[in-house]
């Protein structure tokens, strides 16, 4: 785990993240430049949508495996 700092509306926010989480967040937020609130919201919505799709896929696979 390492500290990653994002600047949102000219305020610094630091979180601890592993390499995987860092890569996911940096797809949508630039850690080297200031991001605005709109970019943060878009990042959240994109990641949430990916999670929902993944969850549906896992539930579908789980239902198929219940018969075995």
């Amino acid at each position: 785990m390492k500290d990653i700092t994002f600047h949102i509306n000219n305020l610094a926010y630091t979180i601890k993240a592993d390499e995987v989480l860092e890569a996911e967040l940096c797809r949508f937020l630039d850690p080297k430049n200031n991001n605005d609130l709109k970019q943060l919201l878009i990042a959240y919505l994109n990641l949430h949508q990916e999670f929902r799709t993944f969850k549906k896929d896992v539930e579908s696979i789980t239902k198929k495996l219940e018969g075995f």
Side-chain angles (χ1 to χ4, degrees):
M1 301 278 264
K2 70 177 191 175
D3 288 342
I4 303 169
T5 301
F6 291 100
H7 293 83
I8 310 292
N9 290 343
N10 297 313
L11 296 173
Y13 298 92
T14 301
I15 62 168
K16 290 193 181 297
D18 61 15
E19 295 83 24
V20 175
L21 180 57
E22 178 183 9
E24 289 293 313
L25 291 174
C26 289
R27 286 181 21 211
F28 303 106
L29 298 172
D30 185 353
K32 293 182 168 72
N33 294 312
N34 186 51
N35 299 277
D36 62 21
L37 195 55
K38 179 181 174 182
Q39 291 167 299
L40 180 62
L41 179 59
I42 290 170
Y44 169 78
L45 293 172
N46 283 327
L47 289 171
H48 184 69
Q49 182 62 37
E50 288 178 11
F51 170 75
R52 287 182 47 114
T53 301
F54 176 74
K55 183 179 174 186
K56 284 182 182 181
D57 290 346
V58 169
E59 288 171 351
S60 174
I61 292 168
T62 301
K63 285 182 182 179
K64 290 177 183 177
L65 292 175
E66 287 176 354
F68 289 105

